[in-house]
Amino acid sequence: MDWIPCPCWGTNGHDENAGEVADRDPVLLVSGIGGSILHSKKKDSKSQIRVWVRIFLANLAFKQSVWSLYNPKTGYTEPLDENIEIVIPGDDHGLYAIDILDPSWFVKLFHLTEVYHFHDMIEMLVGCGYKKGTTLFGYGYDFRQSNRIDLLILGLKKKLETAYKCSGGRKITIISHSMGGLMVSCFMCLHPEAFSKYVSKWITIATPFQGAPGCINDSLLTGVQFVEGLESFFFVSRWTMHQLLVECPSIYEMMGNPNFKWKKQPEIRVWRKKISENDDDTSAELESFGLIESIDLFNSALKNNEV
């Protein structure tokens, strides 16, 4: 295989173009689910506190500010406290919100890399000569919301416009991760003219275009644990996260596509106690649910969900 030099390097391996903005198309990094810092603020106040991600008092802050209820009339999932709003910090040209998700001294001191999201890629691109605010930008967003909602789609459009102008009218390379790729796909369908005008290339990493049935099904039924071991005691618990996920439209948008020709058809297997007239009978049977049948299972499991 032929050796291909890094596009920001000269053939001698040195960064010949560092600082020369005109030789680089701008890059926009788009995070996936859980990949953006979220701040909480009272609507009548300017002060903000970080509620995702944080290590200390993580569970308490999460319940108070990030727990939400889906409003079918508006299409948004809304905070339980109507006086609270969730905002995404725009510092560092959008890169701060997707870099180290808990930028506290504690995390940096002990180098807890679980919350280092786009950090390594940002450092690599800066090392290759990309300049924040001129050729390097980030887009964090409220990942609880639908990927098709105006709040996210119009925010992405505005970020692309900014990157296009700040780079001198050069088209943008988008690098998205996971669910961020679904949002870019929605943007491309809803605003094809803007996508053609502003975007040159789109690179997406681990995007579940046909859904992620294993991960999503498990998350909807049992929650999700981001951190294992001793560190989990300082983080958001599985069931606290579960209460959030069942009210997030973005989660349901990643359920498995029933029309896709899966190599192995996804299914959920659930052990259920047999119904019998004999109360002493404790036997159980294993039931299987396909992608369509699992919808009834979710309806049954989640119908009485309440905070």
Side-chain angles (χ1 to χ4, degrees), residues 22 24 36 42-43 65 106 112 118 121 127 149 153 157 184 188 200-201 208 214-215 232 234-235 253 285-286 297 301:
R24 292 177 182 79
S36 304
K42 294 286 186 181
K43 292 183 178 179
S65 299
F106 180 86
L112 301 179
F118 267 110
M121 184 176 288
I149 212 76
I153 293 295
K157 183 180 180 182
V184 174
M188 182 169 57
S200 171
K201 303 180 185 70
C215 174
S232 64
F234 300 96
F235 202 58
E253 290 171 356
E285 58 183 357
L286 184 62
L297 178 68

Side-chain angles (χ1 to χ4, degrees), residues 217 265-268 288-295:
N217 292 351
Q265 188 72 12
E267 62 179 1
I268 300 175
S288 297
F289 300 85
L291 290 174
I292 298 296
E293 296 84 358
S294 64
I295 294 175

Side-chain angles (χ1 to χ4, degrees), residues 123-139:
E123 294 240 306
M124 180 271 291
L125 290 170
V126 170
C128 284
Y130 286 83
K131 186 177 179 182
K132 295 179 180 181
T134 304
T135 51
L136 183 58
F137 302 83
Y139 183 57

Side-chain angles (χ1 to χ4, degrees), residues 136-242:
L136 183 58
F137 302 83
Y139 183 57
Y141 54 92
D142 186 349
F143 48 81
R144 303 173 305 163
Q145 309 295 345
S146 166
N147 289 289
R148 298 179 291 233
I149 212 76
D150 283 349
L151 177 69
L152 274 58
I153 293 295
L154 297 181
L156 177 58
K157 183 180 180 182
K158 184 177 180 180
K159 180 63 70 172
L160 287 170
E161 291 172 347
T162 298
Y164 183 79
K165 292 177 182 177
C166 291
S167 63
R170 295 180 70 93
K171 285 193 171 185
I172 299 139
T173 296
I174 298 177
I175 302 178
S176 59
H177 173 244
S178 191
M179 193 182 77
L182 297 182
M183 183 174 60
V184 174
S185 179
C186 289
F187 177 81
M188 182 169 57
C189 293
L190 295 171
H191 298 277
E193 300 86 0
F195 189 89
S196 297
K197 178 179 179 180
Y198 297 123
V199 180
S200 171
K201 303 180 185 70
W202 174 27
I203 301 167
T204 192
I205 304 167
T207 292
F209 286 111
Q210 304 301 335
C215 174
I216 297 306
N217 292 351
D218 182 50
S219 298
L220 284 173
L221 293 174
T222 69
V224 61
Q225 188 76 50
F226 282 99
V227 181
E228 303 294 338
L230 181 63
E231 295 173 0
S232 64
F233 290 97
F234 300 96
F235 202 58
V236 178
S237 71
R238 172 181 288 273
W239 288 105
T240 299
M241 185 63 69
H242 179 261

Side-chain angles (χ1 to χ4, degrees), residues 244-277:
L244 173 77
L245 297 181
V246 297
E247 297 290 343
C248 291
S250 59
I251 295 296
Y252 298 90
E253 290 171 356
M254 289 191 287
M255 292 178 68
N257 179 2
N259 299 316
F260 181 67
K261 294 182 179 180
W262 298 90
K263 185 175 182 180
K264 179 176 173 53
Q265 188 72 12
E267 62 179 1
I268 300 175
R269 294 181 178 180
V270 181
W271 285 100
R272 284 187 168 178
K273 183 179 178 180
K274 284 186 176 180
I275 300 175
S276 68
E277 297 179 358

